[in-house]
């Protein structure tokens, strides 16, 4: 079976999604039905995450479907919840997919409070699992080839999408596996493998050689690009680089083979032989260098047989000239694959768990709209209530309607009796006293909640600053000072609300103390109230006068205006309009919501008519009060006046004003109590928000401290090895000038212990490699300066370098070359001195010119065997 590359999955720790989501749902949605449905959806989302990332996944399409559904759900949920460090804080921890960890340091992992980070990691696992599913397919049948091509392209698209979005989704550097360079390389590898699958499909279908050659050449080009990107990726598995180099050569060899078949059909026998010879060289390179990873015996035998037959026919029959490789026409390319575009929803079976929940942008727009609406409603109702209070004050100052009812001068006016009964029915002084007594307790409770919220923020910020000063730049997370700015602003606004409430309470208490005596008098029985009101001589008979009738008609008009205002106030409060659908439509059409334009237009349509009615009511009241004042002046001149009458009228005015003050005070105190209770709920939500973010920050702090400790444990104790002591160095007097200039260091002498039993003879020193200079020159004196590198002898092309010369290392500008240090044998070693062979096709950009060295073993002589005594 062909050799393909698959990507390992990332692993994550468990995260509880239910608790924080439930808190947000309870704080945001008041309807019990909505809360229950959304909480159940949060529980299902938590179960879905456990199924997707909380357990090992089988290399099957059903497992991939779970991952796709979870990713789609994350994309749909993201705009509906305020996932951020300072709001709905969820910390996700993922390990590096390619890091195997160490005994003491542990594996590399990253914990971030970012849903974009979670999405990137889940999408990485989608690409990784798709590559594993494609790897497990049967490449001997059409169905397996089609499935493999599909999933390799999906994997390429997933990695490519991460490359374009990962940096914007995170606020810090990601782990190496999801860095743009790494996922870009993985995307190119998956695309190359998908192209190879199409080549295999074309080969099995026995398509034309011209098509197969173009498909193979395109696959070779993809593998070459992947090899270039992968050269300096130390985090990828060690077998990836040689496999890519081998695949590049194999695909190029297949392209040359099928192009040779096309040349044979066109009677170009010399070109046929030239291409087959080139294919043979490529296959031999793979067999000699990468046989550990890929077996090319079948391909090699097929090409060898074709080459032998072509040479035989050409030698005996055609005698066609074999062109040089550089003279051969470049093979065309045909790309049949492309990265799958990641577009949500990816899963065909996806259903939104939070389908009824509106996006966060709509929620925010609704919040601002409700604020605008409340401002308009409060303004209209405030204007009407202010006008009503003004009307009551004017009538009380004129002692109306009591003056019309008190024509006898010795009985309680009916309006005063009704006001007294109303006060007694509402609880009298006791209700006011109890409301005033409750205010300080409510205020103190709110103060304590706010102070506690600010305290936990201050403590966490102090800890963060201390650790930031301790670790410096290694403390890579958002500063608490910057993160808590929105919470600090919100806390400052809540503190201002409390201060304003305290001032309002003070005004209410002062007004209550002013009218308390008169309110207490109104709470007394009718007989005591009548006795407290001064008597006066009977007034002139005014019952039948025209002015009394006019005043009574005007007072009736005032009462009618008040009743209309009450009805109008209820209509204004109950006015509703479905703005959610308006905002959803705007979001779907434009991708954004212009809340101000939409809200102002709709509010003007809803409350424009009510505004006109309020203004009309105020105008009517102003006209009526003007007529009442004129008529009352005429009534006062007609009424007989004396000192007793003036005292009585003054008392009745105070009683009427006390009633109006009682009603206003009772309303203000009830509104104040309601304000404190509602503010308590807001403060509790604020406290929960502060507690949640502090807890999340503490968890993130612990993870970061653990990572820092592991990094410190991985670091070496010293940056470099100390210099070799002088007594361990080889004496300079024994060194010849030739060995002094040798690039091979002399090993330090071994310490010999005297023992009673015979010891083997001392091991001779390794032979010194004499640098062959182009011209004879005097070797430099030791200690006079750095020894210049030896000049490499000129060799003919294709000649094998001798062991004395050393392997042909690449020469860079400013670095003329040096001899390598002898190293112990490492069967897994590959790097810049053991670069895989890369074939440079005609017309392609050159690859690094690196030769495969033939490194000889260290020439230790065979030691004789001495039996133990």
């Amino acid at each position: 079976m062909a050799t393909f590359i698959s990507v390992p999955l990332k692993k994550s720790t468990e995260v509880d999604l239910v608790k924080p989501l439930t808190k947000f749902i309870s704080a945001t949605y008041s309807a019990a039905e909505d809360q229950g449905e959304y909480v159940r959806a949060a529980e299902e989302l938590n179960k879905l995450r456990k199924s997707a990332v909380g357990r090992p996944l089988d290399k099957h399409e059903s497992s991939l479907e779970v991952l796709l559904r979870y990713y789609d759900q994350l994309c749909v949920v993201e705009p509906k919840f305020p996932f951020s460090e300072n709001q709905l804080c969820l910390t996700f921890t993922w390990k590096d997919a390619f890091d195997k960890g160490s005994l003491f340091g542990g594996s590399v992992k990253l914990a971030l409070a970012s849903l974009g980070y979670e999405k990137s990691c889940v999408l990485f696992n989608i690409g990784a699992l798709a590559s594993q599913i494609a790897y497990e397919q049967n490449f001997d049948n059409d169905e397996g080839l089609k499935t493999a091509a599909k999933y390799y392209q999906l994997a390429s698209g997933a990695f490519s999408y991460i490359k374009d979005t990962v940096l914007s989704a995170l606020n810090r550097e990601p782990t190496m596996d999801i860095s743009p360079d790494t996922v870009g390389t993985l995307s190119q590898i998956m695309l190359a493998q998908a192209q190879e699958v199409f080549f295999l499909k074309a080969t099995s279908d026995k398509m034309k050689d011209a098509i197969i050659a173009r498909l193979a050449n395109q696959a070779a080009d993809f593998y070459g690009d992947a090899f270039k990107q992968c050269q300096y990726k130390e985090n990828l598995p060690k077998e990836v680089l040689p496999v890519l180099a081998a695949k590049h050569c194999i695909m190029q060899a297949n392209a040359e083979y099928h192009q040779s078949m096309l040349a044979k059909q066109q009677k170009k026998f010399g070109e046929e032989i030239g291409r087959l010879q080139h294919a043979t060289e490529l296959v031999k390179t793979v067999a000699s260098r990468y046989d550990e990873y890929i077996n090319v015996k079948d391909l090699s035998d097929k090409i060898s047989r074709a080459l032998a037959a072509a040479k035989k026919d050409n030698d005996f029959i055609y005698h066609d000239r074999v062109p040089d490789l550089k003279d051969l026409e470049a093979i065309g390319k045909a790309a049949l694959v492309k990265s799958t575009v990641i577009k949500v929803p990816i899963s065909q079976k996806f259903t939104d768990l939070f389908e009824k929940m509106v996006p966060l942008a709509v929620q925010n727009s609704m919040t601002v709209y409700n604020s605008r609406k409340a401002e308009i409603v409060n303004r209209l109702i405030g204007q009407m209530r202010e006008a009503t209070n003004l009307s009551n004050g004017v009538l009380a100052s004129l002692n109306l309607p009591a003056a019309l009812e008190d024509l006898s001068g010795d009985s309680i006016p009916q309006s005063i009796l009704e006001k007294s009964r109303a006060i007694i029915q509402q609880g009298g002084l006791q209700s006011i006293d109890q409301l005033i007594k409750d205010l300080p307790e409510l205020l103190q409770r709110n103060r304590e909640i706010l102070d506690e919220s600010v305290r936990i923020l201050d403590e966490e910020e102090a800890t963060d600053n201390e650790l930031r000063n301790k670790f410096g730049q290694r403390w890579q997370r958002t500063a608490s000072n910057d993160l808590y700015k929105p919470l600090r602003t919100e806390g400052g606004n809540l503190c201002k609300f409390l201060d304003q409430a305290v001032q309002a309470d003070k005004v209410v208490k002062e007004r209550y103390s002013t009218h308390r005596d008169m309110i207490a008098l109104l709470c007394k029985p009718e007989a005591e109230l009548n006795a407290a009101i001064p008597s006066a001589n009977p007034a002139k008979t005014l019952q039948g006068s025209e002015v009394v009738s006019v005043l009574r008609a005007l007072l009736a008009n005032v009462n009618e205006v008040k009743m209309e205002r009450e009805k109008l106030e209820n209509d204004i409060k109950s006015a509703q309009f479905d703005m959610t659908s308006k905002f959803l439509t705007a979001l779907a059409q434009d991708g954004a919501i212009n809340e101000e334009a939409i809200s102002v237009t709709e509010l003007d349509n809803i409350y424009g008519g009510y505004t006109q009615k309020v203004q009309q009511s105020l105008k009517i009241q102003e006209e009526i009060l003007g007529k009442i004042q004129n008529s009352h002046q005429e009534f006062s001149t007609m009424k007989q006046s004396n000192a007793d009458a003036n005292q009585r009228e003054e008392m009745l005015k105070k009683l009427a004003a006390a009633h109006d003050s009682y009603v206003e005070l009772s309303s203000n105190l009830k509104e104040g109590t309601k304000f404190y209770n509602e503010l308590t709920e807001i403060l509790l939500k604020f406290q929960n928000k502060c507690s949640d973010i502090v807890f999340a920050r503490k968890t993130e702090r612990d993870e970061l401290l653990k990572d820092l400790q592991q990094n410190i444990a991985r670091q070496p104790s010293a940056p470099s090895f100390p210099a070799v002591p002088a007594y361990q160095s080889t004496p300079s007097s024994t060194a010849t000038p030739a060995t002094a200039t040798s690039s091979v260091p002399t090993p330090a002498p071994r310490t010999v212990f005297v023992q009673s039993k015979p010891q083997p003879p001392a091991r001779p020193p390794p032979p010194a490699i004499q640098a062959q200079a182009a011209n004879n020159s005097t070797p430099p004196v030791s200690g006079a300066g750095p020894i210049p590198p030896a000049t490499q002898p000129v060799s003919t092309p294709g000649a094998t370098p001798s062991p004395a010369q050393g392997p042909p290392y690449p020469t860079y500008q400013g670095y003329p070359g040096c001899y390598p240090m002898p190293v112990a044998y490492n069967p897994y070693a590959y790097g810049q001195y053991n670069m895989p062979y890369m074939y440079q096709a005609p017309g392609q950009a050159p690859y690094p010119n690196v030769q495969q060295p033939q490194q000889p073993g260290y020439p230790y002589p065979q030691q004789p065997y001495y039996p133990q005594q």
Side-chain angles (χ1 to χ4, degrees), residues 28 59 65 95 222 417 429 569 575 645 662 749-750 823 830:
T28 306
K59 300 175 183 179
E65 180 65 28
K95 298 180 180 179
F222 283 156
L417 287 175
L429 287 176
E569 181 176 337
Y662 179 87
R750 301 177 183 272
V823 295
Y830 66 92

Side-chain angles (χ1 to χ4, degrees), residues 455-708:
R455 184 190 65 79
I456 60 178
L457 291 180
D458 292 339
E459 289 183 355
E460 199 284 327
E461 183 175 341
T463 304
D464 181 72
N465 292 334
E466 180 182 352
L467 293 172
R468 190 174 302 279
N469 294 332
K470 179 179 179 180
F471 291 103
Q473 296 181 352
R474 290 181 295 177
W475 194 250
Q476 296 180 352
R477 71 168 186 169
T478 306
S480 296
N481 184 27
D482 298 332
L483 188 63
Y484 294 158
K485 283 182 179 179
L487 292 176
R488 299 286 189 189
T489 303
E490 185 177 355
N493 293 334
L494 293 174
C495 186
K496 290 180 182 179
F497 291 155
L498 284 177
D499 295 338
Q500 294 173 0
V502 170
Q503 294 298 324
D505 295 344
K506 184 178 179 180
V507 173
V508 169
K509 291 178 181 178
E510 292 176 355
R511 186 181 301 173
Y512 176 62
S513 62
T514 302
H515 297 277
R516 190 179 192 284
D517 294 339
M518 290 296 103
I519 295 174
L521 184 59
L522 286 172
C523 294
K524 292 182 179 181
E526 183 177 348
E528 295 183 18
L529 178 60
N530 191 16
I533 300 175
S535 300
N537 293 329
K540 296 180 179 180
T541 305
L542 298 175
Q543 294 289 349
S545 65
E546 183 179 357
V547 66
V548 173
S549 301
V550 171
L551 282 174
R552 286 177 175 170
L554 291 173
L555 291 176
N557 291 338
V558 171
N559 291 331
E560 185 178 351
V561 169
K562 290 180 181 178
M563 293 178 62
E564 289 179 354
R565 281 181 186 159
E566 291 179 359
K567 183 177 181 302
L568 184 59
E569 181 176 337
N570 292 330
D571 292 342
I572 292 175
K573 288 181 178 179
S574 60
Q576 296 292 336
F577 185 77
D578 184 15
M579 289 297 296
T580 302
S581 58
K582 281 277 185 182
F583 290 138
L584 285 172
T585 302
L587 184 62
Q589 292 177 352
D590 304 331
I593 300 176
N594 188 352
E595 182 276 329
E596 183 177 2
I598 299 174
S599 297
V600 170
T601 302
E602 294 300 329
L603 289 173
D604 185 61
N605 294 335
I606 297 171
Y607 294 103
Y610 291 123
T611 303
Q612 295 178 0
K613 290 181 180 180
V614 169
Q615 296 300 324
Q616 185 179 2
S617 175
L618 298 180
K619 185 177 180 181
I620 293 174
Q621 175 181 295
E622 185 178 359
E623 294 175 355
I624 294 176
L625 289 178
K627 293 179 180 179
I628 288 177
Q629 288 175 341
N630 294 333
S631 298
H632 183 267
Q633 186 175 3
E634 183 180 355
F635 173 77
S636 299
T637 57
M638 294 175 61
K639 188 176 180 181
Q640 183 179 358
S641 179
N642 53 40
D644 293 338
N646 291 337
Q647 291 179 2
R648 180 179 178 83
E649 186 172 356
E650 190 66 27
M651 176 62 74
L652 293 177
K653 289 180 181 180
K654 289 182 179 180
L655 291 174
H659 169 267
D660 294 338
S661 297
Y662 179 87
V663 173
E664 187 177 357
L665 287 171
S666 179
S667 175
N668 291 340
L669 289 171
K670 289 179 181 178
E671 287 180 357
T673 303
K674 180 182 178 183
F675 166 78
Y676 280 125
N677 289 329
E678 291 178 350
L679 186 61
T680 300
E681 296 181 2
I682 296 174
L683 287 171
L684 287 174
K685 293 178 182 179
F686 177 71
Q687 186 183 33
N688 290 335
K689 190 187 301 184
C690 295
S691 300
D692 291 343
I693 190 173
V694 167
F695 178 77
R697 293 282 287 178
K698 182 179 180 299
T699 304
E700 183 184 13
R701 181 188 68 201
D702 295 342
E703 291 287 341
L704 188 54
L705 281 173
K706 183 178 179 181
D707 292 342
L708 286 174

Side-chain angles (χ1 to χ4, degrees), residues 150-219:
K150 170 186 173 183
Y151 285 119
Y152 277 135
Q153 292 177 87
L154 174 61
S156 177
F159 294 134
S160 177
Y161 187 84
I162 298 173
K163 175 187 175 183
D164 298 334
T165 60
V166 65
L167 292 182
S168 61
L170 277 63
N171 57 0
R172 56 177 294 182
E173 286 295 322
T175 50
M176 290 297 295
D177 56 344
I178 60 173
S179 64
D181 290 343
T182 301
V183 292
T185 301
L186 294 177
S187 175
Q188 187 64 34
I189 293 174
M190 296 299 114
L191 199 63
Q193 294 185 153
Q195 180 74 16
E196 182 181 358
V197 170
F198 273 96
F199 160 76
L200 295 176
K201 177 71 167 60
T203 304
S204 65
D205 292 346
K206 298 181 180 180
M207 299 181 70
K208 294 181 179 180
D209 289 306
I211 297 176
I212 299 177
R214 295 173 65 188
L215 291 175
N217 196 35
Q218 182 65 69

Side-chain angles (χ1 to χ4, degrees), residues 297-318:
K297 186 177 185 304
D298 294 341
L299 178 61
S300 177
D301 293 345
K302 180 172 68 173
I303 295 174
S304 298
R305 289 194 298 270
L307 178 60
K311 282 185 175 181
K312 181 178 180 181
D313 292 342
N314 191 56
D315 291 343
F316 287 96
I317 303 174
Y318 306 113

Side-chain angles (χ1 to χ4, degrees), residues 189-492:
I189 293 174
M190 296 299 114
L191 199 63
Q193 294 185 153
Q195 180 74 16
E196 182 181 358
V197 170
F198 273 96
F199 160 76
L200 295 176
K201 177 71 167 60
T203 304
S204 65
D205 292 346
K206 298 181 180 180
M207 299 181 70
K208 294 181 179 180
D209 289 306
I211 297 176
I212 299 177
R214 295 173 65 188
L215 291 175
N217 196 35
Q218 182 65 69
D221 192 52
F222 283 156
Y223 276 118
D225 293 341
F227 176 84
K228 290 179 183 178
Q229 298 179 23
C230 189
Q231 273 184 302
Y232 305 105
K233 302 290 188 305
E234 297 180 357
N235 60 314
L236 294 178
K238 66 180 182 63
E239 65 272 7
V240 172
L241 192 68
V243 167
L244 293 178
K247 285 294 191 74
H248 171 78
C249 295
I250 291 173
M251 288 295 103
Q252 190 63 43
N254 278 291
E256 294 289 356
Y257 172 78
H258 287 281
Q259 192 69 18
S260 71
M261 296 297 102
L262 179 63
K264 182 179 180 180
Q265 297 169 10
Q266 297 174 353
K267 308 297 183 181
K268 299 178 180 179
F269 303 105
E271 179 183 346
E272 176 191 8
I273 295 173
R275 293 192 181 278
L276 288 174
Q277 287 177 345
H278 186 208
T280 301
E281 294 175 2
L282 292 169
V283 173
K284 286 182 178 179
T285 301
V286 176
S288 62
R289 299 177 185 271
Y290 312 119
D291 186 57
E292 178 183 353
Y293 304 98
I294 296 180
N295 185 4
V296 290
K297 186 177 185 304
D298 294 341
L299 178 61
S300 177
D301 293 345
K302 180 172 68 173
I303 295 174
S304 298
R305 289 194 298 270
L307 178 60
K311 282 185 175 181
K312 181 178 180 181
D313 292 342
N314 191 56
D315 291 343
F316 287 96
I317 303 174
Y318 306 113
H319 303 288
D320 197 3
R321 185 183 69 84
V322 179
D324 293 336
L325 178 62
K326 62 182 180 180
D327 297 330
L328 294 176
E329 184 180 354
I331 304 174
K333 301 174 184 177
L336 297 185
V337 295
K338 62 180 180 179
S339 301
T340 302
V341 178
I342 302 300
K343 186 177 181 180
V344 177
I346 310 176
S347 172
Q348 298 179 355
K349 302 178 182 179
F350 171 70
T351 55
D352 187 5
L353 298 175
F354 298 89
E355 184 176 4
K356 294 184 179 180
M357 182 181 290
V358 296
L360 191 61
V362 177
Q363 296 179 30
N364 295 335
S365 299
M366 284 298 300
T367 301
V368 180
Y369 164 77
N370 289 330
S371 177
R372 296 180 189 273
K373 175 183 174 182
E375 183 180 352
I376 295 175
V377 170
N378 292 335
R379 176 171 55 82
L380 295 177
I381 293 177
Q383 290 176 352
M384 291 189 294
R385 289 183 178 179
E386 184 178 355
T388 301
N389 293 334
L390 176 63
S391 174
N392 293 335
V394 170
L395 294 181
S397 65
L398 300 176
N399 195 24
L400 293 174
L404 299 179
E405 299 168 354
D406 189 35
L407 297 177
S408 62
D410 57 356
S411 62
I412 303 175
Q414 184 64 32
S415 60
I416 299 297
L417 287 175
E418 291 177 356
K419 291 176 180 178
S420 175
R421 296 190 192 103
I423 290 177
I424 294 173
Q425 187 176 2
Q426 294 181 24
L429 287 176
Q430 294 181 355
S431 63
I432 298 292
D433 291 338
Q434 185 63 40
L435 290 172
I436 292 178
K437 181 181 177 181
D438 292 341
L439 289 180
E441 297 179 1
L442 297 174
L443 175 64
Q444 181 63 24
R445 179 181 64 184
N446 289 337
R447 285 284 189 194
E448 291 175 355
I449 296 174
L450 182 58
D451 292 343
E452 175 63 18
S453 302
V454 175
R455 184 190 65 79
I456 60 178
L457 291 180
D458 292 339
E459 289 183 355
E460 199 284 327
E461 183 175 341
T463 304
D464 181 72
N465 292 334
E466 180 182 352
L467 293 172
R468 190 174 302 279
N469 294 332
K470 179 179 179 180
F471 291 103
Q473 296 181 352
R474 290 181 295 177
W475 194 250
Q476 296 180 352
R477 71 168 186 169
T478 306
S480 296
N481 184 27
D482 298 332
L483 188 63
Y484 294 158
K485 283 182 179 179
L487 292 176
R488 299 286 189 189
T489 303
E490 185 177 355

